[in-house]
Coordinates of all heavy atoms in Angstrom, one line a residue:
K10 N 12.2 2.5 1.9 CA 13.0 3.7 2.1 C 12.3 5.0 1.9 O 12.5 6.0 2.6 CB 14.2 3.6 1.1 CG 15.2 2.5 1.6 CD 16.4 2.4 0.5 CE 17.3 1.3 0.9 NZ 18.3 1.1 -0.1
R19 N 8.4 14.3 7.8 CA 7.1 14.8 8.4 C 7.3 15.0 9.9 O 6.6 15.8 10.5 CB 6.0 13.8 8.0 CG 4.7 14.2 8.4 CD 3.6 13.2 7.9 NE 2.3 13.7 8.3 CZ 1.3 12.9 8.7 NH1 1.5 11.6 8.6 NH2 0.2 13.3 9.0
G33 N -19.1 3.8 4.1 CA -19.6 3.2 5.3 C -18.6 3.0 6.3 O -17.4 3.4 6.1
C34 N -18.9 2.5 7.5 CA -18.0 2.3 8.6 C -18.1 0.9 9.1 O -19.1 0.4 9.4 CB -18.4 3.3 9.7 SG -17.3 3.1 11.2
H45 N 10.3 -4.5 6.1 CA 11.6 -3.7 6.0 C 11.6 -2.5 7.0 O 12.0 -1.4 6.7 CB 11.8 -3.1 4.6 CG 12.0 -4.2 3.5 ND1 13.2 -4.8 3.4 CD2 11.2 -4.7 2.6 CE1 13.2 -5.7 2.4 NE2 12.0 -5.7 1.9
V49 N 2.8 -1.3 8.1 CA 1.8 -1.2 7.0 C 0.4 -1.5 7.7 O 0.2 -2.5 8.3 CB 2.0 -2.2 5.9 CG1 1.0 -2.1 4.8 CG2 3.4 -2.1 5.3
S55 N -10.6 -4.3 3.7 CA -9.7 -4.2 2.5 C -8.8 -5.4 2.4 O -8.4 -5.7 1.3 CB -8.9 -2.9 2.5 OG -9.7 -1.8 2.4
K76 N 3.7 1.5 -6.8 CA 3.2 0.5 -7.7 C 2.7 -0.7 -6.9 O 3.4 -1.2 -6.1 CB 4.3 0.0 -8.7 CG 5.0 1.0 -9.5 CD 4.3 1.4 -10.7 CE 5.2 2.3 -11.5 NZ 4.6 3.0 -12.6
E85 N -8.5 -5.2 -14.7 CA -8.5 -3.8 -14.2 C -8.9 -2.8 -15.3 O -8.8 -3.2 -16.5 CB -7.1 -3.4 -13.6 CG -5.9 -3.6 -14.5 CD -4.6 -3.3 -13.7 OE1 -4.5 -2.3 -13.0 OE2 -3.7 -4.1 -13.8

Side-chain angles (χ1 to χ4, degrees):
K10 287 177 186 175
R19 188 172 180 214
C34 178
H45 295 284
V49 181
S55 296
K76 306 273 186 193
E85 52 189 314

